[in-house]
Amino acid sequence: MVNPLTVEIAGLKLANPTMLAAGILGMSGLTLERVAEAGAGAVVTKSLGLKSRSGYTNPTVVQVEGGLINAMGLPNPGIEYFLQGVQQTREVKVPIIVSIYAFSPEDFALIAKKALKMGVDALELNVSCPHAEGTGAEIGQDPRLVEEVVKEVKRGVDKPVFVKLTPNVVNIAEIAKAAEKGGADAITAINTVKAMAIDVETAKPILGNKIGGLSGPAIKPIAVRCVYEIYDEVKIPIIGCGGISTWQDAVEFMEAGASAVQTGTAIATKGLNVFKQVTDGIEAFLEKKGFGSVKEIVGLSHQN
Ligand code: RRO
């Protein structure tokens, strides 16, 4: 009998449609392995660059109503050091997707090649960090640059390339179309929403970087709208991300048009059980509604 939860994203086979989002617990082989063992269908690493980077000064995260605002500032040990560490840990038994960032199309292509040489399954291009100078959303809000980055990466690699988009644009579907034109195999929507918090007593911005990115339940309706709009404009699969912490959230994203979902902030509030809870909930929902596969609910809301 066919497993109703299995999905295939651009040739990548997942036992269930949940993934670890970039940025949370993706800092080492051991943490990726823990997430895989907890039931994620795939895992995405923290965003990695060519060189190590220490990130912004503290505080880098603040809790607000409905979520977290972070301005980590892309801290990472550099792609080669990180992937050597992953190779040395025990095997991660689900697909590993490496999130990468760079400051030019050429450097994106260089990091992509380095990642794939070390045996990872797919790449996620971060063109959406809301508070990075010269990279992230500064690239991801320009459709021509997005197309160029994706084209350059795709020229040199033979593994699936996902492109993670920023919601901080007027027309996200236009950016998704540019990524598809450049050869992207899937779209991840969305990265965090530009935000800030101020300490009223001292009148000081709380984060070291002042401005950061909001994640968690508060951004879910924004993310659902983005997935819905992108689904109407592109043929490649969409991976939904933004405030997913329950199976109902996951089903909502899939009905909007997502073929799989990523979870990040919910791990901080609910722990690693969230993957199994979401997967079990989706399975029960499919059975109750008489669907034979999770694929049958993708984009269902567009019929209504
Ligand atoms: O590291 C960060 O500050 C960060 C990244 Br790379 C990103 O893509 N999104 C975000 O909210 N924070």
Side-chain angles (χ1 to χ4, degrees):
M1 209 179 92
V2 182
N3 183 336
L5 289 170
T6 55
V7 290
E8 200 173 315
I9 310 286
L12 217 59
K13 289 190 174 67
L14 274 57
N16 71 69
T18 66
M19 299 184 185
L20 171 71
I24 304 246
L25 289 182
M27 269 311 227
S28 77
L30 263 177
T31 53
L32 291 174
E33 201 178 281
R34 271 179 56 209
V35 177
E37 278 166 6
V43 290
V44 186
T45 68
K46 172 80 184 138
S47 290
L48 301 160
L50 267 183
K51 295 188 201 138
S52 71
R53 198 177 136 111
S54 50
Y56 297 143
T57 50
N58 282 325
T60 52
V61 185
V62 56
Q63 188 166 8
V64 294
E65 206 176 312
L68 303 173
I69 308 177
N70 88 85
M72 309 295 291
L74 303 113
N76 79 99
I79 186 114
E80 281 177 346
Y81 184 84
F82 176 87
L83 288 175
Q84 274 160 16
V86 170
Q87 284 176 332
Q88 278 159 19
T89 51
R90 283 169 294 155
E91 216 177 307
V92 178
K93 294 195 179 64
V94 301
I96 299 182
I97 299 147
V98 171
S99 169
I100 58 172
Y101 73 88
F103 297 85
S104 69
E106 295 72 26
D107 277 357
F108 259 107
L110 187 62
I111 303 177
K113 279 189 203 146
K114 281 182 193 284
L116 293 186
K117 222 191 270 165
M118 298 180 95
V120 304
D121 301 291
L123 297 168
E124 184 174 87
L125 311 185
N126 183 347
V127 290
S128 45
C129 178
H131 44 254
E133 237 171 79
T135 183
E138 288 194 8
I139 293 174
Q141 56 201 359
D142 179 342
R144 276 168 311 175
L145 257 181
V146 169
E147 186 183 337
E148 196 186 332
V149 165
V150 181
K151 240 187 213 154
E152 200 66 42
V153 169
K154 284 293 290 183
R155 226 198 301 273
V157 303
D158 58 356
K159 289 276 168 79
V161 173
F162 306 167
V163 182
K164 188 165 183 178
L165 299 186
T166 174
N168 305 308
V169 290
V170 173
N171 185 351
I172 194 167
E174 180 195 12
I175 311 286
K177 273 203 297 195
E180 183 178 50
K181 202 163 157 219
D185 299 288
I187 298 290
T188 305
I190 56 175
N191 206 316
T192 51
V193 177
K194 213 169 180 177
M196 81 181 293
I198 294 166
D199 181 329
V200 290
E201 290 299 328
T202 60
K204 275 191 185 157
I206 294 173
L207 294 172
N209 188 58
K210 297 183 180 156
I211 306 275
L214 177 63
S215 60
I219 72 165
K220 196 191 76 176
I222 299 172
V224 169
R225 183 266 302 168
C226 289
V227 169
Y228 189 90
E229 287 180 348
I230 294 168
Y231 185 82
D232 280 332
E233 298 291 334
V234 303
K235 293 194 174 64
I236 53 178
I238 305 163
I239 301 155
C241 180
I244 296 162
S245 70
T246 66
W247 67 264
Q248 289 95 335
D249 297 333
V251 168
E252 187 178 356
F253 270 83
M254 298 185 97
E255 289 176 348
S259 296
V261 292
Q262 294 182 352
T263 290
T265 302
I267 295 167
T269 51
K270 292 186 139 186
L272 281 173
N273 272 345
V274 67
F275 293 103
K276 201 165 172 336
Q277 287 163 3
V278 168
T279 306
D280 288 350
I282 296 174
E283 192 169 17
F285 175 79
L286 295 176
E287 203 180 317
K288 185 180 81 184
K289 293 282 192 178
F291 291 113
S293 161
V294 71
K295 297 180 200 97
E296 292 170 37
I297 66 170
V298 175
L300 214 53
S301 69
H302 292 257
Q303 295 170 8
N304 296 315

